[in-house]
Amino acid sequence: MTDKKKLRPDTITAHAGRDPRRFDGAVNTPVYRASTVLFPDVASYESRNPDDYKVMRYGIYGTPTTFALEEAVAQLEGGHAAVALPSGLAAIVAALAAFAHSGAHILIADSVYQPTRNFCDKRLRTQGVEVEYYDPALGAAIAGLIRPNTTAVFCEAPGSLSFEMQDIPAIAAAAHARGVAVLADTTWGTPYFFRAFEHGVDISIHAGTKYISGHSDVMLGVVVTNERYWLELRRAVADYGYCVSPDDCYLALRGLRTIGVRMRQQQQSALTIARWLQARPEVLRVLYPALEGDPGHAIWKRDFSGAASLFGVILKPASERAVAALIDALSLFGIGSSWGGFESLAIRADPGRYRSATSWNPGGPLLRLHIGLEDPADLMADLEQGFAQMKLAG
Ligand SMILES: *Cc1c(COP(=O)(O)O)cnc(C)c1O
């Protein structure tokens, strides 16, 4: 028997979450649609175990399609178990809610995804939770912010839009010394390139909308936990009533099968384009931990086995009109939210507006690029003519 724990990531993505013998030989776990699940007799119906989230009980807790996706993501990341949620944001909300009783103190990295901050400010704070933002550059020094009522430290590395790395193992060691849980939005690292549990994360949160699904047509969140926090987290998801359609789980699992080849290819193209951009006269610097000169490079190299194809480009000071002209001139980069699909995207952003514990002044406008599976030579040619339009717009 092959030891499943020893399998490498590409083998796991090909084999996890499927059992052809159970499904008449079908390679893929079929789409199981169910709300009502019937039981053979009163005794078995009445003895349902509320904490057994991996058997068919009622549609809200999932069907074999849901379980297949959850099992595959958990196995790839090396966690104890996973639960699927209807969006990445719902996954963040459910995970935070599990630690957010009135009077609790929660530490949030100042560089987090803006909707995470929005939820903390508008919802958690009004429900009596003390939300404190911390400098993402703090490593072990996070210990100085932990109070007797601190229940969770929330990390995101690299940070949304600013791409600052965090020393998650150092933060986790300090948090665990005080019995505090470590939650991390690991969407950029993905379960493929970042083994969260080996770096001290207790609860790993993914926007499955991004690389896991990978084709820009599914909204999904996944929360993976270690054994210690599994039931606490899974019960919170159940209490909020979150569930995901089996069709979306099927599509996400189909996407996950190819996450390795997609991400390796996209990483390679992203590095090619990032290096080319570094040499462009219009560019001040590129924010991408996978680049040797990036301030977060050493941590990235230590903790990650690869990089997402999403990075920031700080342009030399230019008018808003000129930056818009650059983006509008691109024909191969779409303009829109999200990332992690097979196609390239470009937007401008200003994460400095959302900071409170620290300030962030990069010295020029920020362009965020997602590099898809197109040929990088075509993407660079597209960017080149975009820069020409930017110059014309002055
Ligand atoms: C997109 C994103 C999310 C939210 O995912 P949705 O599925 O769009 O709700 C959360 N965190 C990060 C870092 C993201 O980029």
Side-chain angles (χ1 to χ4, degrees), residues 80-210:
H80 171 69
V83 57
L85 288 107
S87 70
L89 184 56
I92 292 165
V93 163
L96 279 170
F99 295 90
H101 55 83
S102 162
H105 171 243
I106 290 184
L107 286 162
I108 309 275
D110 208 24
S111 49
V112 284
Y113 179 62
Q114 194 274 332
T116 303
R117 177 182 284 269
N118 180 67
F119 172 72
C120 289
D121 293 344
K122 289 222 195 93
R123 305 292 159 191
L124 292 186
R125 276 198 165 134
T126 58
Q127 290 163 22
V129 178
E130 281 185 77
V131 175
E132 181 177 351
Y133 294 98
Y134 68 89
D135 181 347
L138 287 184
I142 193 94
L145 299 180
I146 293 174
R147 305 180 197 163
N149 59 337
T150 306
T151 55
V153 178
F154 190 100
C155 305
E156 184 181 325
S160 272
L161 304 172
S162 64
F163 299 94
E164 298 149 279
M165 284 303 297
Q166 290 198 264
D167 190 342
I168 291 181
I171 290 171
H176 292 161
R178 302 279 296 275
V180 173
V182 177
L183 282 61
D185 181 334
T186 49
T187 300
W188 190 92
T190 78
Y192 187 78
F193 277 154
F194 181 59
R195 295 188 57 85
F197 302 96
E198 289 171 13
H199 297 95
V201 173
D202 298 298
I203 294 174
S204 178
I205 304 160
H206 301 281
T209 308
K210 312 290 167 59

Side-chain angles (χ1 to χ4, degrees), residues 23 35 86 220 242 266 293 307 351 380:
F23 306 109
S35 51
L220 179 81
Y242 284 128
Q266 285 175 257
M380 288 184 286

Side-chain angles (χ1 to χ4, degrees), residues 345-359:
L345 297 167
I347 53 167
R348 66 176 168 197
D350 183 9
R353 275 168 50 205
Y354 310 116
R355 309 282 283 222
S356 57
T358 52
S359 61

Side-chain angles (χ1 to χ4, degrees), residues 207-220:
T209 308
K210 312 290 167 59
Y211 290 102
I212 291 176
S213 299
H215 294 73
S216 306
D217 52 6
V218 175
M219 296 302 302
L220 179 81

